[in-house]
Amino acid sequence: MSETADQLLTTKDGKPLKAALAKALRRDKLRALALIAPLLIFVLLTFVAPIVDMLFRSVENDIVSETLPRTVIELQDWDAESGVVPGDATYNALHYDLMIAAEKKKHTQLGTRLNYEETGISSAFRKTGRRVDDFGEGYTDQFVALNEAWEAPATWVDLLASPDWVKSQATWAAGDQKATAEPSFVINDTARKALPQTSEIYGAFARTIQVEDQDSPTEEEPWNAVYSALYEDLTANPAAADAFSGANEALLSEAAAAVATFTPVDIKALFVKADKDWGEPSIWQTIKTFAPAYTSGYFLNSVDAQLTADGVQMKPEDERIYLFLFGRTLMLSMAITISCLLLGYPIAFLLAHLPLRTSNLLMILVLLPFWTSLLVRTSAWKVLLQQQGVINDFLVWIGVISDAGRLVMINNQTGTIIAMTHILLPFMILPLFSVMKTISPNYVRAAKSLGATNWTAFWRVYFPQSVPGIGAGAVLAFILSIGYYITPELVGGTSGIFISNRIAYHISSSLNWGLAAALGTMLLAAVMILFLVYDRIVGIDNVKLG
Amino acid sequence: MKLKTAILATSAIAMMSGTAVAKDMTIVSWGGAYQSSQKKAYAEPYAADHSDINIIWDESSNEAVAKLRAMNEAGNITWDLVDVVASDAIRLCDEGLALEIDPDEDLAAAPDGTSAADDFGDLLVSECFIPQIVYSTTFGYRSDIEAWNGKEPETVCDVFDTETFPGKRSLEKRPINNMEWALLCDGVAKDEVYDVLETEEGQERAFAKLDTIKDDVIWWSAGAETPQLLADKEVVIGSTYNGRLFSLIEEQDQPVKMLWDAQVFDLDGWIIPAGLPEDRLAAVKDFVKFATDTQRLADQAKYISYGPARASSAPLVGKHADLGIEMAPHMPTDPANAKNTFLYNYEWWADYRDDLDAKFQAWLSQ
């Protein structure tokens, strides 16, 4: 239609007809959308969102940089391939990070995370976390020996707290202490500039005891790590006392003069003593490699590779399983789909062509397994298929096989294929049946009347019309079988288990959800690709459920 | 099973709303004979004195670790007390999902005044773990195998001897225990097993030993499988939890005997999920204090053949509630059974589990 013709057409009130039509259509669309909105929102919230969240875990890795912020910064300048451990500054940074993490009980989580990449890190973190609060004790003792004031919580508050906080804390302490929490601790600006490390660690200490233990900095002696930070600040900046005034200035100048004579504590040696791994470059390489907030580590793991300091490498031969399992899952699922088709097609054909009463009875037999528990069906197969089972006993009894030559039909791939075929058969039969029901018998009759044999009439006329049912049944059976894990676990032995068994293991047992998510994503991608291939070859329009 | 639990839970809640006052406490355990022993030994006596507490039982212990993590992320902890094995307790504690306890404050002292920390002793393997029972993973064998010519297995290494003791074996489908047994039977001294297993060569050695019986092994993943396989004569010898073998031998009267050699001790107990609101925490702590006292732990042994985790409970172990037989000789901790035991190293496995599991699975599928 031409532009001018459109412009000529208007509604009664003079609006262009095109706009009025679009408006009416839009209203219809909105109404339709409103109708499906409950379902759409439900699906988005309960299905799509959790899946997206789960998939996101496969790359998420902020735990390292969040738990060890100082260490990660120090490690940036360290050459991972140098073959030597990083300098003392890194050990000091780790000392502070680990102290804070251990108080918040985050260090074991980080240890578990890094243990996925390098065996042994979990216990290194756990052991060190137990001892880290003593690392700075040498400094604490020396400061306290110098002046007992360093032992008093009030000294520290006086030195580091902002005047505003002191005031609001006093107000809070005078009131009903249980009603509200103590105001959260604030460092004063002088201290932040003159004693940067001490302020930072003390701040972390104050926040931690306030939040985790509901204690007050005015009553608790600081961590040993705070003394060690003070030692470092005063060594780096002996004139720090000048920024303060009064008693604080005197106290700090005394300390600044004394620190030069202090016996330094070898933090690195303490780490190595807690766990010898800290003296090896490999643990530092792992921390550095997994410092970024996003990682490809889980995906690499899921294809039997790993991220190392030297880049991506394949895992050692004896640890590669996932690619192999992906392959086996696809192969076995195809075998199961094909055997479902071979068994299901004749049954569906019978169902569609027998008189109603007989076919209804047959239909009940097909549906019966649906009403039986999956575990019961699987266990029944065990009884039937095992070496001392019903089938073997029968074969021995009729003399087909000898007692010594009983068939192994379970705890291997055969077991998986048989049990899964049985379970998935209805998913093949039902779409086939509903498609076959719609095929008019007239076509076959016409073909026969024109001289076709029974076979030709079936193969050239009937079968092509049933292909949409085959497509639907095959896709259903295949996708369902790819995700099964209970049945393979029970009857698959070692050669009949699927990738989903490993996913289940990582979800429920090893708690490596990142790897499980990566494996799941891979599986999802594999199914999508197969689906696209199927669309190319057969055409998705050819799939019918009835 | 889940559906069943859900229905039970809902109907329990429905019944509850009738009476309205009682407070719910959800306790998660393993189901089966074990859970019913807990009900009889702990929950029923407790309920007699505490009508204001309504205990709801859940059977999800085998997926407790994952579910607790999911609950924690959702910020809605619906469980009050969870029964887990020690290695899971360590993991939950590491993840910050379980509450740390103070044994002397949260647990009852022994009747003679021994503190709880001393009474449980070394079994307090994690700051979050409240031990209940000692169980062991050990072997049972059929005593009616003709091909064995009257011989019976005496040591764990007979499992690896397919010449003298032909037939299928069943082993658990995971590296833990199997690797240790393999090394022990390959001539490694008991106290060196984990040092050897830490090295590549040691792992290869263990796999090589397992290779010698690989074709004769049916691998199990649920504790009920070995008893079933033994009863069906599918296997002639197999590993499982000692309590399962007890019920196979004593309750079902099967021709099966216990092989206690190199049994691996393991622990099962409670953890309290982290992040419970204070009123629920107080209620559950009260229950735990009651349920893990000396008498209660000894009582549990009336119903199931697992050893109480308290030293002070051992002398109080009596007869089986239904069968009327003395339970002490069936305990893994009984001196006659514990002549040669193996101590499972939790910390070592926490480190090496994922690594060895990958290798084990790769080895299995070769």
Side-chain angles (χ1 to χ4, degrees):
Chain A
M1 206 177 280
S2 76
E3 280 291 307
T4 43
D6 270 351
Q7 276 161 10
L8 288 177
L9 290 168
T10 55
T11 54
K12 247 185 196 169
D13 47 355
K15 283 181 192 159
L17 187 61
K18 202 175 178 183
L21 180 67
K23 201 176 162 195
L25 281 178
R26 196 160 55 233
R27 207 181 310 126
D28 272 355
K29 266 186 199 154
L30 279 177
R31 193 180 300 149
L33 197 66
L35 279 173
I36 62 154
L39 179 67
L40 191 68
I41 293 168
F42 179 77
V43 168
L44 280 178
L45 283 182
T46 62
F47 189 68
V48 179
I51 288 181
V52 170
D53 176 63
M54 201 65 210
L55 297 187
F56 180 64
R57 285 167 197 273
S58 59
V59 291
E60 191 183 26
N61 189 47
D62 49 12
I63 183 168
V64 183
S65 53
E66 262 175 28
T67 320
L68 307 175
R70 298 169 189 84
T71 316
V72 166
I73 291 170
E74 287 290 337
L75 278 176
Q76 273 170 2
D77 303 328
W78 174 66
D79 178 12
E81 282 159 52
S82 60
V84 290
V85 293
D88 286 341
T90 315
Y91 283 93
N92 282 333
L94 184 66
H95 172 209
Y96 301 135
D97 283 337
L98 206 55
M99 182 65 223
I100 297 166
E103 288 296 317
K104 291 182 183 162
K105 317 243 180 310
K106 293 280 275 185
H107 66 299
T108 43
Q109 282 179 39
L110 178 66
T112 313
R113 163 68 190 94
L114 290 175
N115 201 68
Y116 299 143
E117 311 298 341
E118 192 191 324
T119 298
I121 294 193
S122 175
S123 71
F125 272 93
R126 201 179 309 118
K127 281 186 209 156
T128 320
R130 268 199 294 262
R131 298 188 186 179
V132 71
D133 54 340
D134 296 336
F135 280 12
E137 205 175 4
Y139 292 122
T140 312
D141 294 346
Q142 297 184 72
F143 273 108
V144 174
L146 181 70
N147 191 333
E148 283 189 5
W150 287 115
E151 212 170 9
T155 312
W156 290 94
V157 173
D158 202 33
L159 186 68
L160 300 171
S162 84
D164 289 347
W165 181 81
V166 175
K167 254 183 252 159
S168 57
Q169 199 273 344
T171 324
W172 169 83
D176 177 12
Q177 300 198 357
K178 289 223 169 108
T180 52
E182 188 180 43
S184 128
F185 186 81
V186 185
I187 297 274
N188 67 48
D189 290 335
T190 322
R192 189 169 297 145
K193 281 195 203 97
L195 304 169
Q197 296 228 51
T198 317
S199 314
E200 205 182 320
I201 310 301
Y202 189 85
F205 154 77
R207 269 191 302 280
T208 309
I209 61 162
Q210 284 188 317
V211 175
E212 305 279 324
D213 316 322
Q214 274 85 46
D215 281 331
S216 168
T218 57
E219 288 162 14
E220 294 291 314
E221 233 180 285
W223 299 330
N224 293 321
V226 176
Y227 293 91
S228 130
L230 182 64
Y231 169 81
E232 273 180 50
D233 277 337
L234 288 178
T235 317
N237 177 16
D242 299 348
F244 294 86
S245 59
N248 285 336
E249 189 186 357
L251 193 64
L252 275 178
S253 358
E254 179 197 19
V259 285
T261 64
F262 277 12
T263 327
V265 176
D266 189 349
I267 298 285
K268 179 179 168 184
L270 286 169
F271 267 105
V272 176
K273 200 179 153 206
D275 194 298
K276 61 181 189 324
D277 283 356
W278 292 114
E280 305 287 330
S282 68
I283 191 167
W284 296 101
Q285 284 168 351
T286 308
I287 295 176
K288 189 177 158 107
T289 311
F290 290 90
Y294 295 96
T295 179
S296 55
Y298 293 122
F299 274 103
L300 289 170
N301 259 327
S302 71
V303 291
D304 296 330
Q306 58 189 355
L307 199 58
T308 64
D310 315 328
V312 178
Q313 283 176 348
M314 285 309 277
K315 285 201 170 183
E317 199 88 35
D318 61 348
E319 283 177 46
R320 294 184 198 167
I321 41 172
Y322 296 119
L323 282 182
F324 173 75
L325 280 179
F326 273 119
R328 178 199 276 166
T329 306
L330 295 181
M331 290 310 296
L332 282 187
S333 297
M334 273 179 207
I336 290 160
T337 309
I338 290 168
S339 43
C340 276
L341 179 64
L342 292 179
L343 290 174
Y345 197 90
I347 300 174
F349 186 85
L350 269 181
L351 277 172
H353 294 92
L354 283 176
L356 202 59
R357 275 179 63 188
T358 342
S359 76
N360 272 347
L361 185 73
L362 203 58
M363 194 66 175
I364 288 174
L365 292 181
V366 169
L367 289 176
L368 206 57
F370 259 144
W371 303 329
T372 324
S373 147
L374 181 81
L375 284 177
V376 172
R377 276 182 279 163
T378 309
S379 312
W381 278 113
K382 282 194 135 172
V383 176
L384 284 173
L385 295 177
Q386 63 187 5
Q387 281 193 287
Q388 308 291 325
V390 178
I391 294 177
N392 265 314
D393 280 349
F394 178 73
L395 291 178
V396 170
W397 182 66
I398 61 170
V400 176
I401 53 174
S402 71
D403 198 26
R406 285 170 179 260
L407 303 174
V408 184
M409 293 181 290
I410 203 158
N411 296 321
N412 55 18
Q413 297 190 355
T414 322
T416 304
I417 293 177
I418 294 177
M420 296 265 292
T421 302
H422 174 228
I423 287 162
L424 295 176
L425 203 51
F427 293 97
M428 180 64 90
I429 293 176
L430 293 177
L432 271 176
F433 165 72
S434 54
V435 167
M436 285 175 176
K437 263 297 206 206
T438 63
I439 299 174
S440 161
N442 291 339
Y443 296 124
V444 175
R445 266 184 233 143
K448 282 187 189 161
S449 76
L450 292 171
T453 61
N454 277 346
W455 170 249
T456 316
F458 168 76
W459 185 243
R460 302 280 299 274
V461 176
Y462 189 88
F463 183 77
Q465 296 187 81
S466 68
V467 164
I470 296 178
V475 169
L476 256 181
F478 182 78
I479 289 179
L480 281 173
S481 79
I482 262 186
Y484 260 61
Y485 67 92
I486 296 175
T487 308
E489 182 73 37
L490 289 177
V491 299
T494 58
S495 62
I497 62 160
F498 283 9
I499 190 74
S500 2
N501 293 81
R502 297 311 293 161
I503 299 180
Y505 168 79
H506 286 302
I507 288 278
S508 63
S509 190
S510 83
L511 280 195
N512 190 349
W513 286 8
L515 181 55
L519 289 170
T521 313
M522 300 278 291
L523 196 57
L524 187 64
V527 173
M528 294 280 193
I529 291 170
L530 282 172
F531 206 70
L532 286 179
V533 170
Y534 181 88
D535 186 31
R536 274 287 163 80
I537 299 172
V538 186
I540 220 71
D541 309 340
N542 255 332
V543 170
K544 260 200 247 164
L545 286 164
Chain B
M1 191 131 82
K2 239 184 256 164
L3 183 68
K4 199 172 119 197
T5 324
I7 291 171
L8 283 179
T10 347
S11 53
I13 291 165
M15 284 195 296
M16 270 279 310
S17 51
T19 52
V21 264
K23 259 194 296 184
D24 284 346
M25 185 192 292
T26 308
I27 301 181
V28 184
S29 186
W30 300 93
Y34 184 61
Q35 189 160 323
S36 76
S37 77
Q38 292 176 321
K39 279 186 196 166
K40 286 180 191 148
Y42 312 153
E44 284 171 14
Y46 187 77
D49 288 345
H50 296 80
S51 53
D52 57 330
I53 299 286
N54 177 46
I55 296 180
I56 297 170
W57 289 90
D58 192 317
E59 301 184 352
S60 316
S61 274
N62 54 351
E63 46 203 6
V65 190
K67 282 199 167 179
L68 275 170
R69 191 199 245 192
M71 284 183 196
N72 183 275
E73 291 196 358
N76 180 20
I77 313 285
T78 57
W79 291 347
D80 294 285
L81 189 62
V82 187
D83 192 287
V84 290
V85 291
S87 56
D88 282 345
I90 292 175
R91 206 174 331 197
L92 287 166
C93 210
D94 278 358
E95 289 267 328
L97 298 171
L99 187 80
E100 286 186 17
I101 54 138
D102 175 358
D104 287 335
E105 193 184 312
D106 296 330
L107 305 176
D112 63 0
T114 314
S115 74
D118 291 339
D119 203 14
F120 282 104
D122 293 343
L123 304 189
L124 293 161
V125 293
S126 151
E127 282 104 349
C128 306
F129 184 61
I130 308 163
Q132 261 177 93
I133 55 144
V134 178
Y135 69 95
S136 82
T137 307
T138 189
F139 286 92
Y141 60 90
R142 283 195 73 97
S143 50
D144 60 349
I145 304 294
E146 286 161 23
W148 291 358
N149 303 319
K151 284 198 196 119
E152 288 189 2
E154 281 165 12
T155 76
V156 68
C157 297
D158 290 339
V159 172
F160 293 89
D161 182 359
T162 47
E163 299 260 312
T164 325
F165 303 102
K168 291 254 182 193
R169 287 99 168 90
S170 66
L171 291 175
E172 190 169 4
K173 206 193 279 181
R174 62 171 198 175
I176 300 175
N177 298 349
N178 295 329
M179 302 291 271
E180 287 103 318
W181 282 325
L183 282 186
L184 280 178
C185 293
D186 203 36
V188 176
K190 207 159 40 167
D191 49 357
E192 284 168 17
V193 164
Y194 288 105
D195 293 337
V196 174
L197 205 51
E198 212 167 301
T199 63
E200 290 276 326
E201 303 81 60
Q203 293 166 8
E204 271 163 33
R205 215 170 136 187
F207 282 128
K209 185 73 185 175
L210 286 169
D211 264 330
T212 60
I213 53 166
K214 196 176 177 187
D215 293 339
D216 293 303
V217 174
I218 293 179
W219 301 94
W220 59 268
S221 45
E225 287 181 60
T226 290
Q228 184 63 49
L229 290 167
L230 279 169
D232 288 353
K233 266 195 176 184
E234 275 290 294
V235 299
V236 292
I237 183 164
S239 70
T240 188
Y241 314 127
N242 71 293
R244 302 274 187 174
L245 288 170
F246 171 81
S247 72
L248 182 72
I249 296 168
E250 299 296 336
E251 291 166 11
Q252 294 162 32
D253 251 343
Q254 293 288 326
V256 171
K257 286 187 182 168
M258 300 287 294
L259 174 63
W260 288 105
D261 187 54
Q263 53 164 326
V264 184
F265 278 157
D266 202 343
L267 305 169
D268 189 273
W270 302 114
I271 60 105
I272 302 173
L276 287 182
E278 275 189 27
D279 56 329
R280 276 168 63 194
L281 184 62
V284 77
K285 277 193 170 172
D286 187 60
F287 175 79
V288 165
K289 199 166 199 167
F290 173 85
T292 56
D293 72 11
T294 301
Q295 187 59 48
R296 247 44 62 184
L297 288 189
D299 284 351
Q300 192 185 2
K302 276 189 215 162
Y303 308 101
I304 199 150
S305 66
Y306 293 127
R310 270 176 183 266
S312 61
S313 298
L316 303 177
V317 170
K319 289 183 174 164
H320 190 279
D322 302 323
L323 301 173
I325 51 174
E326 280 296 337
M327 288 304 278
H330 297 283
M331 294 292 161
T333 43
D334 188 70
N337 301 333
K339 274 185 224 143
N340 182 23
T341 62
F342 191 81
L343 219 57
Y344 169 75
N345 187 334
Y346 295 101
E347 189 140 289
W348 193 89
W349 275 112
D351 276 353
Y352 286 86
R353 180 178 157 130
D354 294 323
D355 194 33
L356 271 190
D357 198 76
K359 286 185 182 162
F360 188 76
Q361 294 297 335
W363 173 78
L364 274 185
S365 43
Q366 274 161 21

